[in-house]
Amino acid sequence: MPQIPLHYVDLRTFCYATEDDKRVEAALRRFLPEEFEIERVESEGHYGDRILVLSARVENADDVRHVLAQLTDLETFDRLLAELDDRVTDNCELFLRLDKQAAFGGDVRLGEGITFRAKVEAYPAKKPQAVENAETVLEELAGDAAKE
């Protein structure tokens, strides 16, 4: 099992008044380990409409591994690897946007709806090292998934 060079992964999505919160929660759970706690915070939109913010912070190494392993299901996984330099910030954070509708259907696609943010370990804490660490762990997890 590869070491996971991430401090944490944050997943967040919004559930608007026109959406079923159970379905939106199911979409977010597509990426989380079973029975993982999801924080629910009610907010209000500009016109007074209800917005439910669903979020989860994954910090345990096995749980982080589970979340990252879900990304290996991306049809565009090679594209993700190629774009890592653009997706990792100078603060060593990896950002992705995932398709909420596809996640509800059990698929993993880049798109709109679910924000994925991960803090990548890097010593020294510089972007090139963070990109290298993220690439290494994603490739190792993809290799593990191919063996299964």
Side-chain angles (χ1 to χ4, degrees):
M1 227 178 255
Q3 178 187 358
I4 300 296
L6 278 85
H7 294 290
Y8 59 82
V9 174
D10 286 332
L11 293 167
R12 185 180 73 188
T13 190
F14 299 106
C15 178
Y16 299 99
T18 57
E19 296 177 307
D20 180 348
D21 60 325
K22 299 284 187 239
R23 288 177 172 227
V24 173
E25 182 176 328
L28 190 60
R29 287 198 180 283
R30 166 64 179 90
F31 302 98
L32 296 169
E34 280 188 46
E35 305 300 319
F36 199 86
E37 184 176 336
I38 293 178
E39 183 179 334
R40 301 166 69 93
V41 176
E42 285 213 21
S43 189
E44 189 174 293
H46 181 70
Y47 296 104
D49 50 322
R50 177 197 68 106
I51 299 174
L52 183 61
V53 181
L54 302 174
S55 61
R57 174 168 279 198
V58 181
E59 296 176 310
N60 173 288
D62 288 337
D63 293 342
V64 169
R65 184 176 290 108
H66 175 87
V67 173
L68 287 178
Q70 305 313 302
L71 297 180
T72 64
D73 290 342
L74 275 166
E75 287 181 20
T76 56
F77 186 75
D78 291 337
R79 176 180 149 205
L80 170 63
L81 291 177
E83 294 175 349
L84 280 177
D85 195 51
D86 294 330
R87 294 183 177 278
V88 175
T89 68
D90 290 337
N91 292 327
C92 302
E93 295 173 312
L94 169 63
F95 282 94
L96 303 173
R97 305 242 353 217
L98 301 163
D99 188 314
K100 182 168 48 172
Q101 190 68 38
F104 175 71
D107 295 326
V108 179
R109 279 195 292 242
L110 296 176
E112 299 295 317
I114 298 174
T115 303
F116 172 105
R117 180 177 73 112
K119 182 69 170 182
V120 183
E121 283 182 19
Y123 301 102
K126 302 285 183 196
K127 180 179 176 174
Q129 185 62 45
V131 170
E132 184 180 318
N133 288 350
E135 183 175 22
T136 298
V137 73
L138 287 169
E139 286 175 342
E140 287 175 356
L141 287 169
D144 290 348
K147 292 176 189 174
E148 292 178 2

